[in-house]
Amino acid sequence: MTLRRFSRRLIAGLLLTLAAAPMRAASKVPPFIPMPNSYVQDAAAPFVISQKHTFISADTALLRPAADALRRVLKARTGMDIALSPKGAKGSITLAIDTALLGAEHYRVAVSKKSLAITGATPAAVFRGVMTLNQLLLADPHEAERGRIPAVKIDDAPRFALRALMIDPARNFLPVKDVKRFIEVMAKYKYNALQLHLTDDQGWRIALKSYPQLASPQSYSAADIREIVAYAAEHYIDVIPELDIPGHTAAFLSVYPELGCTHLLNAPIKVGETVNRMLCAANDTVYTVYNQILPEVASLFPSQYIHLGGDEAAVPANWEQCPRCRAMMEQKGYKRASQLMIPFFERILSSVRATGKKPIMWCELNNIYPPADDYLFPYPQDVTLVSWRGGLTPTCLSLTAQSGHKLIMAPGEHAYLDYPQMHHDLPEYNNWGMPITTLEQAYRFDPGYGRTAEEQAHVWGVMGTLWAEAMPDINRVTYMAYPRALALAEAGWTQMEHRDWADFTQRLYPNLDELMRLGISFRVPFELSGK
Ligand code: TNX
């Protein structure tokens, strides 16, 4: 081979390598979390936005929150403030409802040299698409700064209709501004529900007109709740209130001790210390009071759902020893005091149904450990249950499949974000021997538990819980939540065949970088690096 020929080959080879290099870099999956269910990267030229020639057009006023979100995304990533324009304006980015798409959150993102369109079955779906675009722009910050958006086709819809997080202002109050900040972050990861655990032994955090004495010094007013709910609605997040009964009620009973069991009427209650008190099942006034509280709470929250707790009721120390409860047991012919849950929730649920809302409860079985094999009591058919206790989720799944109850998956093994993320990590107090839930363990969660399609058809979705006994403020809450809530977001959204732990860890880093820049505290998953 002549030198000339050789060098021509060399140059051709070099050119090929050079041509291939950006392609290889570009073929890296952008840091989507959750991973979309269908994503195709196009080799075509990117869509280039410019301050002068690009506009955002939305085909209905209902898309305004999505359009505003997109504007914020583009401003943050490109520095350009892209104006909203009338429909059809040339050079515009379009947001549109596509009624051909099925499923409330089904959206498409189509980016080509000529156009950028985000379409969805509903405004919520379009909003989710905007969140995906935000992550697409995270892939290459330099390109984004130049207004260049890679050509892609995404067609995506969630595996589960519900992806929730639960925060616990009852244990440690969270100011409205912190709740709003929390909502902002969850929305980025396509969560669509926030459960507020409003009442517990440590506090009653909702100020009601019907029973104003219940409110603790730190409580949400009606105006606060409206503010939270409205902000969540702009992010297409449903706010589900929880009033925990008949256990976890020391704060309530500190105000109305006469509504506890008769043998405990003179036993002092110290909020923050006393636990395991219950509402008396055999006191009519309990039902009268809740028959006023529940409609008021229902009116403050637009959600179709109210969570009623029902967990960890200390029946042996309360109902079992209360003369009035025992008389009721006898009259009903019950052998076990826990059967009083039947009439208790019959009355409470009739108050809930009268508000038009649907009840949710923590699923309790006839034992707190395996071998539990049945419900604590027969849950009425319209109750949605939440599986939570470590070791019992397979049983909960089977029982609910048989009995036809809708199920939310919050298994302690994967979704309890109050548990430590690593040995010797937080929490530094109130750690009662909590199991460690690593990021990887949070990720290795199939909410269908590998069951057949039929056996998991009743699974409504997932919920991560942030029980806050050891979370004094929002920085601790987000430290415990993230990055595990990113893993959970993907478990709730992405089909198993598109999930991959190693791939997730790669998509994770730009998101952590983003959280850091937003000032959201999180645990650095140092165990993933430097191996
Ligand atoms: C059990 S989970 C509880 C909570 C605690 C949590 C601590 C559930 C339904 N009840 O009241 O905060 O354990 O992990």
Side-chain angles (χ1 to χ4, degrees):
M1 185 187 332
T2 65
L3 189 63
R4 256 182 97 179
R5 243 175 110 186
F6 174 75
S7 59
R8 225 186 286 141
R9 274 199 184 182
L10 188 71
I11 289 166
L14 263 175
L15 282 177
L16 262 177
T17 319
L18 284 174
M23 261 176 67
R24 227 178 298 138
S27 72
K28 213 180 137 202
V29 177
F32 297 125
I33 295 179
M35 186 64 200
N37 286 295
S38 163
Y39 159 73
V40 182
Q41 187 168 30
D42 223 315
F47 180 81
V48 184
I49 69 169
S50 76
Q51 181 75 66
K52 261 202 194 147
H53 303 292
T54 312
F55 300 96
I56 299 170
S57 62
D59 77 349
T60 122
L62 291 173
L63 291 173
R64 190 59 196 255
D68 287 341
L70 178 59
R71 197 170 173 180
R72 287 193 298 272
V73 162
L74 295 177
K75 181 86 176 70
R77 299 271 168 257
T78 70
M80 290 180 246
D81 187 8
I82 303 300
L84 306 188
S85 76
K87 189 177 171 182
K90 200 167 169 256
S92 51
I93 296 172
T94 54
L95 300 184
I97 297 290
D98 181 349
T99 48
L101 297 180
L102 302 172
E105 293 176 292
H106 186 177
Y107 73 89
R108 286 187 181 141
V109 177
V111 185
S112 68
K113 185 175 189 285
K114 292 210 173 102
S115 65
L116 193 170
I118 304 179
T119 52
T122 61
V126 175
F127 180 84
R128 305 286 177 242
V130 172
M131 296 300 106
T132 298
L133 186 83
N134 181 39
Q135 293 175 347
L136 180 66
L137 292 178
L138 259 183
D140 192 332
H142 302 294
E143 283 286 286
E145 269 173 27
R146 296 164 62 201
R148 294 158 68 89
I149 304 180
V152 294
K153 280 201 173 53
I154 297 167
D155 185 342
D156 193 19
R159 178 179 175 197
F160 293 102
L162 181 87
R163 288 105 35 215
L165 291 176
M166 189 218 79
I167 52 174
D168 179 11
R171 264 52 177 272
N172 273 300
F173 187 66
L174 295 165
V176 172
K177 72 167 185 7
D178 291 345
V179 177
K180 288 167 75 175
R181 197 97 173 95
F182 191 79
I183 286 170
E184 256 168 58
V185 181
M186 337 170 22
K188 288 182 189 291
Y189 299 100
K190 300 188 173 65
Y191 280 101
N192 65 358
L194 174 66
Q195 181 167 322
L196 293 182
H197 184 75
L198 289 169
T199 71
D200 212 300
D201 295 333
Q202 295 84 346
W204 180 281
R205 307 297 183 184
I206 177 166
L208 298 175
K209 276 197 214 128
S210 48
Y211 292 91
Q213 307 88 315
L214 284 171
S216 12
Q218 292 175 308
S219 298
Y220 298 119
S221 65
D224 290 341
I225 288 171
R226 273 194 289 274
E227 190 177 340
I228 292 171
V229 163
Y231 197 70
E234 283 171 27
H235 296 78
Y236 299 95
I237 288 176
D238 191 32
V239 183
I240 300 173
E242 179 189 356
L243 305 179
D244 202 344
I245 50 174
H248 289 276
T249 42
F252 177 95
L253 290 169
S254 72
V255 181
Y256 297 110
E258 67 277 17
L259 299 183
C261 285
T262 51
H263 66 297
L264 293 170
L265 287 183
N266 296 317
I269 294 178
K270 230 177 164 184
V271 176
E273 284 176 29
T274 308
V275 295
N276 291 341
R277 291 297 181 78
M278 288 172 68
L279 303 177
C280 181
N283 184 336
D284 276 342
T285 311
V286 166
Y287 305 100
T288 313
V289 169
Y290 270 85
N291 196 38
Q292 287 180 273
I293 287 177
L294 287 164
E296 190 177 346
V297 172
S299 73
L300 290 171
F301 291 87
S303 177
Q304 283 186 55
Y305 295 89
I306 292 189
H307 197 303
L308 299 162
D311 58 312
E312 296 184 319
V315 173
N318 290 268
W319 294 354
E320 213 168 292
Q321 289 174 44
C322 167
R324 210 163 38 196
C325 287
R326 296 190 70 89
M328 190 174 173
M329 277 175 68
E330 215 160 289
Q331 180 228 327
K332 300 252 179 208
Y334 292 152
K335 291 195 185 64
R336 289 171 286 110
S338 60
Q339 287 173 286
L340 291 173
M341 288 284 190
I342 301 168
F344 179 87
F345 277 108
E346 215 169 75
R347 292 182 73 173
I348 294 290
L349 291 181
S350 72
S351 298
V352 171
R353 291 178 194 122
T355 69
K357 309 274 171 163
K358 298 179 202 165
I360 307 179
M361 292 175 67
W362 303 109
C363 183
E364 286 287 24
L365 302 185
N366 57 3
N367 199 330
I368 64 171
Y369 306 108
D373 63 359
D374 202 357
Y375 293 133
L376 175 67
F377 74 101
Y379 287 105
Q381 203 58 51
D382 59 343
V383 174
T384 293
L385 292 168
V386 188
S387 180
W388 62 281
R389 283 192 190 269
L392 295 189
T393 287
T395 312
C396 278
L397 247 173
S398 305
L399 285 171
T400 47
Q402 281 158 28
S403 62
H405 288 91
K406 226 161 111 173
L407 184 65
I408 299 172
M409 297 289 274
E413 289 88 344
H414 304 282
Y416 263 47
L417 307 179
D418 57 328
Y419 294 171
Q421 313 184 49
M422 195 51 65
H423 269 296
H424 308 303
D425 208 279
L426 303 173
E428 75 282 47
Y429 61 96
N430 195 62
N431 185 337
W432 38 262
M434 292 170 172
I436 285 162
T437 305
T438 60
L439 175 61
E440 181 167 1
Q441 175 69 11
Y443 189 82
R444 295 197 188 278
F445 172 34
D446 167 9
Y449 267 53
R451 303 271 165 110
T452 64
E454 196 189 333
E455 284 168 335
Q456 58 171 283
H458 63 301
V459 175
W460 182 23
V462 303
M463 179 160 71
T465 57
L466 288 145
W467 301 106
E469 289 97 325
M471 300 187 199
D473 63 18
I474 193 68
N475 292 320
R476 179 63 68 88
V477 172
T478 62
Y479 178 93
M480 298 307 289
Y482 294 103
R484 290 181 298 188
L486 304 186
L488 191 69
E490 186 150 307
W493 182 280
T494 309
Q495 301 289 344
M496 292 308 283
E497 67 259 39
H498 305 305
R499 298 183 56 204
D500 180 82
W501 163 244
D503 186 60
F504 171 80
T505 62
Q506 292 312 303
R507 288 181 278 121
L508 183 66
Y509 291 105
N511 286 282
L512 296 182
D513 187 56
E514 166 88 335
L515 289 175
M516 190 168 71
R517 276 188 294 111
L518 293 171
I520 303 296
S521 71
F522 60 87
R523 178 181 173 278
V524 173
F526 57 81
E527 68 279 11
L528 304 183
S529 310
K531 280 186 184 159

Coordinates of all heavy atoms in Angstrom, one line a residue, residues 388-442:
W388 N -48.5 -2.5 53.7 CA -47.4 -1.8 54.2 C -46.4 -2.6 55.1 O -45.2 -2.5 55.1 CB -47.8 -0.5 55.0 CG -48.7 -0.8 56.2 CD1 -50.1 -1.1 56.2 CD2 -48.3 -0.8 57.6 NE1 -50.5 -1.3 57.4 CE2 -49.5 -1.1 58.3 CE3 -47.1 -0.6 58.3 CZ2 -49.5 -1.3 59.7 CZ3 -47.1 -0.7 59.6 CH2 -48.3 -1.0 60.4
R389 N -47.0 -3.5 55.9 CA -46.1 -4.3 56.9 C -45.1 -5.2 56.2 O -45.5 -6.0 55.3 CB -47.0 -5.1 57.8 CG -47.7 -4.3 58.9 CD -48.2 -5.2 60.0 NE -49.1 -4.5 60.9 CZ -48.7 -3.9 62.0 NH1 -47.4 -4.0 62.4 NH2 -49.5 -3.3 62.8
G390 N -43.9 -5.1 56.6 CA -42.8 -5.9 56.1 C -43.2 -7.4 56.2 O -43.7 -7.8 57.2
G391 N -43.0 -8.1 55.2 CA -43.3 -9.6 55.2 C -44.7 -9.9 54.8 O -45.0 -11.1 54.5
L392 N -45.6 -9.0 54.9 CA -47.0 -9.3 54.7 C -47.6 -9.0 53.3 O -48.8 -9.3 53.0 CB -47.9 -8.7 55.8 CG -47.6 -9.2 57.2 CD1 -48.7 -8.7 58.2 CD2 -47.6 -10.7 57.3
T393 N -46.8 -8.3 52.5 CA -47.4 -7.9 51.2 C -47.8 -9.0 50.3 O -48.9 -8.9 49.7 CB -46.4 -6.9 50.5 OG1 -46.5 -5.7 51.2 CG2 -46.8 -6.7 49.0
P394 N -47.1 -10.1 50.2 CA -47.6 -11.2 49.4 C -49.0 -11.7 49.9 O -49.9 -11.9 49.0 CB -46.6 -12.3 49.6 CG -45.3 -11.6 49.9 CD -45.7 -10.4 50.7
T395 N -49.2 -11.7 51.2 CA -50.5 -12.1 51.7 C -51.6 -11.1 51.4 O -52.7 -11.4 51.0 CB -50.4 -12.4 53.2 OG1 -49.3 -13.2 53.5 CG2 -51.7 -13.0 53.8
C396 N -51.2 -9.8 51.6 CA -52.1 -8.7 51.3 C -52.6 -8.8 49.8 O -53.7 -8.6 49.5 CB -51.5 -7.4 51.5 SG -51.6 -6.9 53.2
L397 N -51.6 -9.0 48.9 CA -51.9 -9.1 47.5 C -52.9 -10.2 47.2 O -53.8 -10.0 46.4 CB -50.6 -9.4 46.7 CG -50.0 -8.3 45.9 CD1 -48.6 -8.7 45.3 CD2 -50.9 -7.9 44.7
S398 N -52.6 -11.4 47.8 CA -53.5 -12.5 47.5 C -54.9 -12.2 48.1 O -55.9 -12.5 47.4 CB -53.0 -13.8 48.1 OG -51.7 -14.0 47.7
L399 N -54.9 -11.7 49.3 CA -56.3 -11.5 50.0 C -57.1 -10.5 49.2 O -58.3 -10.7 48.9 CB -56.1 -11.0 51.4 CG -55.6 -12.1 52.4 CD1 -55.3 -11.4 53.8 CD2 -56.8 -13.1 52.7
T400 N -56.4 -9.4 48.8 CA -57.2 -8.4 48.1 C -57.6 -8.8 46.7 O -58.7 -8.5 46.2 CB -56.3 -7.1 47.9 OG1 -55.0 -7.4 47.5 CG2 -56.3 -6.3 49.3
A401 N -56.7 -9.7 46.1 CA -57.1 -10.2 44.8 C -58.4 -11.1 44.9 O -59.3 -11.0 44.1 CB -56.0 -11.1 44.2
Q402 N -58.4 -11.9 46.0 CA -59.6 -12.7 46.2 C -60.8 -11.9 46.6 O -61.9 -12.1 46.1 CB -59.4 -13.6 47.4 CG -58.5 -14.9 47.1 CD -57.9 -15.4 48.3 OE1 -58.4 -15.3 49.4 NE2 -56.7 -16.1 48.2
S403 N -60.7 -10.9 47.5 CA -61.8 -10.2 48.0 C -62.2 -9.0 47.1 O -63.3 -8.4 47.3 CB -61.5 -9.7 49.4 OG -60.5 -8.7 49.3
G404 N -61.4 -8.7 46.1 CA -61.7 -7.6 45.1 C -61.5 -6.2 45.7 O -62.2 -5.3 45.2
H405 N -60.6 -6.1 46.6 CA -60.3 -4.7 47.1 C -59.2 -4.1 46.2 O -58.3 -4.8 45.8 CB -59.8 -4.7 48.5 CG -60.9 -5.0 49.5 ND1 -61.2 -6.3 50.0 CD2 -61.8 -4.2 50.1 CE1 -62.2 -6.2 50.8 NE2 -62.6 -4.9 50.9
K406 N -59.4 -2.8 46.0 CA -58.3 -2.1 45.3 C -57.1 -2.0 46.2 O -57.3 -1.8 47.5 CB -58.8 -0.7 44.9 CG -58.5 -0.2 43.5 CD -59.4 0.9 43.2 CE -58.7 2.2 43.0 NZ -59.5 3.3 42.5
L407 N -55.9 -2.0 45.7 CA -54.7 -2.1 46.6 C -53.6 -1.1 46.2 O -53.3 -0.9 45.0 CB -54.1 -3.5 46.5 CG -52.9 -3.8 47.5 CD1 -53.3 -3.7 48.9 CD2 -52.3 -5.1 47.2
I408 N -53.1 -0.4 47.2 CA -52.0 0.5 47.0 C -50.8 -0.2 47.6 O -50.8 -0.8 48.7 CB -52.2 1.9 47.7 CG1 -53.4 2.6 47.1 CG2 -50.9 2.7 47.6 CD1 -53.8 3.8 47.8
M409 N -49.7 -0.2 46.9 CA -48.5 -0.9 47.3 C -47.5 0.0 48.0 O -46.9 0.9 47.4 CB -47.8 -1.6 46.2 CG -48.7 -2.7 45.5 SD -48.9 -4.1 46.5 CE -47.4 -5.0 46.1
A410 N -47.3 -0.2 49.3 CA -46.3 0.6 50.1 C -45.6 -0.3 51.0 O -45.4 -0.1 52.2 CB -47.0 1.7 50.9
P411 N -45.1 -1.4 50.4 CA -44.4 -2.4 51.3 C -43.2 -1.9 52.0 O -42.4 -1.2 51.4 CB -44.0 -3.6 50.3 CG -44.0 -2.9 49.0 CD -45.0 -1.8 49.0
G412 N -43.1 -2.2 53.3 CA -42.0 -1.8 54.1 C -40.7 -2.1 53.5 O -39.7 -1.3 53.6
E413 N -40.6 -3.2 52.8 CA -39.3 -3.6 52.2 C -38.8 -2.6 51.2 O -37.6 -2.6 50.9 CB -39.4 -5.0 51.5 CG -39.6 -6.1 52.4 CD -41.1 -6.4 52.8 OE1 -41.9 -5.5 52.6 OE2 -41.4 -7.5 53.3
H414 N -39.6 -1.9 50.5 CA -39.2 -1.0 49.4 C -39.6 0.4 49.5 O -39.0 1.3 49.0 CB -39.8 -1.6 48.0 CG -39.5 -3.0 47.7 ND1 -38.3 -3.4 47.2 CD2 -40.2 -4.1 47.8 CE1 -38.3 -4.7 47.0 NE2 -39.5 -5.1 47.4
A415 N -40.7 0.6 50.2 CA -41.4 2.0 50.1 C -41.4 2.7 51.4 O -42.0 3.8 51.4 CB -42.8 1.8 49.6
Y416 N -40.8 2.2 52.5 CA -40.7 2.9 53.7 C -39.5 3.8 53.8 O -38.4 3.4 54.1 CB -40.8 1.9 54.9 CG -42.3 1.9 55.4 CD1 -43.3 1.7 54.4 CD2 -42.6 2.1 56.7 CE1 -44.6 1.7 54.8 CE2 -44.0 2.1 57.1 CZ -45.0 1.9 56.1 OH -46.3 1.9 56.5
L417 N -39.7 5.1 53.4 CA -38.6 6.0 53.2 C -38.2 6.6 54.5 O -37.3 7.4 54.5 CB -38.9 7.0 52.1 CG -39.4 6.4 50.8 CD1 -39.8 7.5 49.8 CD2 -38.4 5.5 50.2
D418 N -38.8 6.2 55.6 CA -38.3 6.6 56.9 C -37.2 5.7 57.4 O -36.5 6.0 58.4 CB -39.5 6.7 58.0 CG -40.2 5.4 58.1 OD1 -40.3 4.6 57.1 OD2 -40.7 5.1 59.3
Y419 N -37.1 4.5 56.8 CA -36.0 3.6 57.2 C -34.7 4.1 56.7 O -34.6 4.8 55.7 CB -36.3 2.2 56.6 CG -37.5 1.5 57.1 CD1 -37.9 0.3 56.5 CD2 -38.3 2.0 58.2 CE1 -39.1 -0.4 57.0 CE2 -39.4 1.3 58.6 CZ -39.8 0.2 58.0 OH -40.9 -0.5 58.5
P420 N -33.6 3.7 57.4 CA -32.2 4.2 57.0 C -31.8 3.6 55.6 O -32.3 2.5 55.2 CB -31.3 3.7 58.1 CG -32.1 2.7 58.9 CD -33.5 3.0 58.7
Q421 N -31.0 4.4 54.9 CA -30.6 4.0 53.6 C -29.3 3.2 53.6 O -28.9 2.7 52.5 CB -30.5 5.3 52.7 CG -31.6 6.2 52.9 CD -31.6 7.4 52.0 OE1 -31.4 7.3 50.8 NE2 -31.9 8.6 52.5
M422 N -28.7 3.2 54.7 CA -27.4 2.5 54.8 C -27.1 2.3 56.3 O -27.6 3.1 57.1 CB -26.4 3.4 54.1 CG -25.0 2.7 53.8 SD -25.1 1.2 52.9 CE -25.8 1.7 51.3
H423 N -26.2 1.4 56.6 CA -25.8 1.2 58.0 C -25.2 2.6 58.6 O -24.5 3.3 57.9 CB -24.7 0.2 58.1 CG -25.2 -1.2 58.4 ND1 -25.9 -1.5 59.5 CD2 -25.2 -2.3 57.6 CE1 -26.3 -2.7 59.5 NE2 -25.9 -3.2 58.3
H424 N -25.6 2.9 59.8 CA -25.1 4.1 60.5 C -25.6 5.4 59.8 O -25.0 6.5 60.1 CB -23.6 4.1 60.6 CG -23.1 2.8 61.2 ND1 -23.5 2.3 62.4 CD2 -22.2 1.9 60.6 CE1 -22.9 1.2 62.6 NE2 -22.2 0.8 61.6
D425 N -26.5 5.3 58.9 CA -27.0 6.5 58.3 C -28.2 7.0 59.2 O -28.6 6.3 60.2 CB -27.4 6.3 56.9 CG -27.4 7.6 56.1 OD1 -28.3 8.4 56.1 OD2 -26.4 7.7 55.3
L426 N -28.8 8.1 58.9 CA -29.9 8.6 59.6 C -31.1 7.6 59.5 O -31.2 6.9 58.5 CB -30.3 10.0 59.1 CG -29.1 11.0 59.1 CD1 -29.5 12.3 58.4 CD2 -28.7 11.3 60.6
P427 N -32.0 7.6 60.4 CA -32.2 8.5 61.5 C -31.3 8.1 62.7 O -31.0 7.0 63.0 CB -33.7 8.3 61.9 CG -34.0 6.9 61.6 CD -33.1 6.6 60.4
E428 N -30.9 9.2 63.4 CA -30.0 9.0 64.6 C -30.8 8.8 65.8 O -30.2 8.5 66.9 CB -29.0 10.2 64.7 CG -29.6 11.5 65.2 CD -30.4 12.2 64.2 OE1 -31.2 11.6 63.5 OE2 -30.2 13.5 64.1
Y429 N -32.1 9.0 65.8 CA -32.9 8.7 66.9 C -34.3 8.0 66.4 O -34.5 8.1 65.3 CB -33.2 9.9 67.8 CG -33.9 11.0 67.1 CD1 -35.3 11.2 67.2 CD2 -33.2 11.9 66.3 CE1 -36.0 12.2 66.6 CE2 -33.9 13.0 65.6 CZ -35.3 13.1 65.8 OH -35.9 14.1 65.1
N430 N -35.0 7.5 67.4 CA -36.2 6.8 67.1 C -36.0 5.7 66.0 O -36.9 5.3 65.3 CB -37.3 7.8 66.5 CG -38.7 7.1 66.5 OD1 -39.2 6.7 67.6 ND2 -39.3 6.9 65.4
N431 N -34.8 5.1 66.0 CA -34.6 4.0 65.2 C -34.8 2.8 66.0 O -34.0 2.4 66.8 CB -33.2 4.0 64.6 CG -33.0 2.9 63.6 OD1 -33.7 1.9 63.7 ND2 -32.0 3.0 62.7
W432 N -36.0 2.2 65.8 CA -36.4 1.0 66.7 C -36.0 -0.3 66.1 O -36.6 -1.3 66.3 CB -38.0 1.1 66.8 CG -38.7 1.5 65.6 CD1 -39.2 2.7 65.3 CD2 -39.0 0.7 64.4 NE1 -39.7 2.7 64.0 CE2 -39.6 1.5 63.5 CE3 -38.8 -0.7 64.1 CZ2 -40.1 1.0 62.2 CZ3 -39.2 -1.2 62.8 CH2 -39.8 -0.3 61.9
G433 N -34.8 -0.2 65.4 CA -34.4 -1.5 64.7 C -34.9 -1.6 63.3 O -35.2 -2.7 62.8
M434 N -35.1 -0.4 62.7 CA -35.7 -0.3 61.4 C -34.8 -1.1 60.4 O -33.6 -1.1 60.5 CB -35.7 1.1 60.9 CG -36.6 2.0 61.6 SD -36.3 3.7 61.1 CE -37.6 4.6 61.8
P435 N -35.4 -1.9 59.5 CA -34.6 -2.5 58.5 C -34.0 -1.5 57.6 O -34.5 -0.4 57.4 CB -35.7 -3.3 57.7 CG -37.0 -3.0 58.2 CD -36.9 -2.1 59.3
I436 N -32.9 -1.8 57.0 CA -32.2 -0.9 56.1 C -32.8 -1.1 54.7 O -33.0 -2.2 54.2 CB -30.7 -1.1 56.1 CG1 -30.1 -0.6 57.4 CG2 -30.0 -0.5 54.9 CD1 -28.8 -1.1 57.7
T437 N -33.2 0.0 54.1 CA -33.7 0.0 52.7 C -32.8 0.8 51.9 O -32.8 2.1 51.8 CB -35.1 0.6 52.7 OG1 -35.9 -0.2 53.6 CG2 -35.7 0.4 51.3
T438 N -31.9 0.1 51.2 CA -30.9 0.8 50.3 C -31.7 1.3 49.1 O -32.8 0.9 48.8 CB -29.8 -0.2 49.8 OG1 -30.5 -1.2 49.1 CG2 -29.0 -0.7 51.0
L439 N -31.0 2.2 48.3 CA -31.5 2.7 47.1 C -31.8 1.5 46.1 O -32.8 1.4 45.5 CB -30.5 3.7 46.4 CG -30.9 4.2 45.0 CD1 -32.2 4.9 45.0 CD2 -29.7 5.0 44.5
E440 N -30.9 0.6 46.1 CA -31.1 -0.6 45.2 C -32.3 -1.4 45.7 O -33.1 -1.8 44.8 CB -29.8 -1.5 45.2 CG -30.0 -2.7 44.3 CD -28.7 -3.4 44.0 OE1 -27.6 -3.0 44.6 OE2 -28.8 -4.4 43.3
Q441 N -32.5 -1.6 47.0 CA -33.6 -2.3 47.5 C -34.9 -1.6 47.1 O -35.9 -2.2 46.8 CB -33.5 -2.5 49.0 CG -34.7 -3.1 49.7 CD -34.8 -4.6 49.3 OE1 -33.9 -5.2 48.7 NE2 -36.0 -5.2 49.7
A442 N -34.9 -0.2 47.2 CA -36.1 0.6 46.8 C -36.3 0.4 45.3 O -37.5 0.3 44.9 CB -35.8 2.0 47.1

